[in-house]
Every structure is written in structure tokens, then in C-alpha cells.
Amino acid sequence: MRFERYTDQVARWPQQGRHILAHHDTESIVVYQAYRPSIALHAVQHQQFGGDFSYNRMSWIKPNFLWMMYRAGWATKEGQEHILAITLRRSFFDQVLREVVPSRYEPSRFSDEAAWKKAVASSEVRLQWDPDHDPTGAPVARKAVQLGLRGETLRRYGTGAVLAIEDITPFVIEQREHASGDFSRLLIPEERVYVPADPDAGRAVGIDYPSHL
């Protein structure tokens, strides 16, 4: 992975709106999850999810590093002591985006609340936009996405879609002492606005496209 100072990156990021900030290239995108040791160590050893990992419940992935740090308390919360960076095929990630159903009822997308509830019940991908966070955990105006996977989509994610699984906990522990004050020494994964190759995926998830596109 490529790393860069937080202070350099934040100056380039959109300050508000719905954007997927992610570490990505032309073929892949990195998402993050936090787990207890038994799940994380198995995933790294086998380069897929298994062992104590449950395929019978929804599992949430986060493309944004600082949102994961907020959720896991920089790897200090119980059951979230190991931070995994999971590299996925972009084609799979875009397919996931196309299949999302929002966690909250949106009148602009559904004829009524009953139609939304029916879509939620049948969907394998849940969409949630939340405030993004700065390194201290304070919310900012920009929105960050997280995606809940279940069923066959989760099984495909946990096995076939994965290109690599890396435990970045040592990096997280090293950097969390810099996640306060002026942030001048804080390094995080290099993240840029992610634009799906398929416009339908972008419309489905409701991203705000950069003004230059």
C-alpha cells in the first residue's frame, strides 16, 4: 500500500457531499474491516475468510480508512483489535454498488415505505452513508460510505473476490499516537475519490461526482 501524510491529503479531498474515498488503482480497491484475533489471523493465513468468521450474518466493509479508525478506536475496541486491509477486484466492488439498498427509507427511490422494506428484505447489499471523521473521531461535513454484505454476495466477497488480505494493525498502532494535535506526523493510506467505471453503480449508491467529470 502507498501511504501519505494526512495533512497533504485532506487539502485535496472534497469537504462535503457523498464521496467514496479509497485506496485504489485501475484494477483494485482496498476496503477495511476490524476483527478479533482468531478471525483476523485465519483470514491472513488463508487469504480468505473462514474459521470463526460467520457467513450467516451481515458483514460491513468500509473503503475509508479514517471511518474504520473511528469505528474501531484505532484498534483499541474489544473485538476490533486487528485491522485488515482487504484488496478487492474493482469489478466486484462496482457490482456490489449496483445492488445496494439504503438502510434508511428514501422517498425519491421508492414508491412507499412498504416497497423499501421489501427491497431491504430481499437485498444482499445494504448501503449506509454516515458522517466521515477526522483522525480524532470528530465528524466532518463529508459523508463516508459503508456497505453491508450478506448471503451469496458475502460468500463471494470472503473467497473469490479477494485479491489480498493484509493485517495492518502494527501500522495503525504506530500511527494512532499521531492522531491528535496538528496531525503533522500522521500517515494514512493514500486515498482519492473513487469513481465507479459503471455509471449505474455510481447512481445506485448516490455519490456526488467531482465537478471536473
Side-chain angles (χ1 to χ4, degrees), residues 110-126:
F110 298 93
S111 57
D112 53 35
E113 195 165 349
W116 166 70
K117 288 181 178 179
K118 182 178 180 180
V120 168
S122 62
S123 174
E124 293 187 344
V125 184
R126 195 75 52 82

Side-chain angles (χ1 to χ4, degrees), residues 135-154:
T136 69
V140 300
R142 183 181 56 251
K143 298 294 185 181
V145 72
Q146 61 173 330
L147 302 165
L149 311 182
R150 67 180 181 182
E152 184 58 30
T153 300
L154 177 58

Side-chain angles (χ1 to χ4, degrees), residues 1-20:
M1 295 179 67
R2 301 179 304 276
F3 301 96
E4 187 179 3
R5 292 189 184 279
Y6 165 77
T7 51
D8 292 336
Q9 295 194 63
V10 72
R12 300 194 300 265
W13 293 341
Q15 298 304 300
Q16 58 186 359
R18 292 180 168 186
H19 300 281
I20 300 175

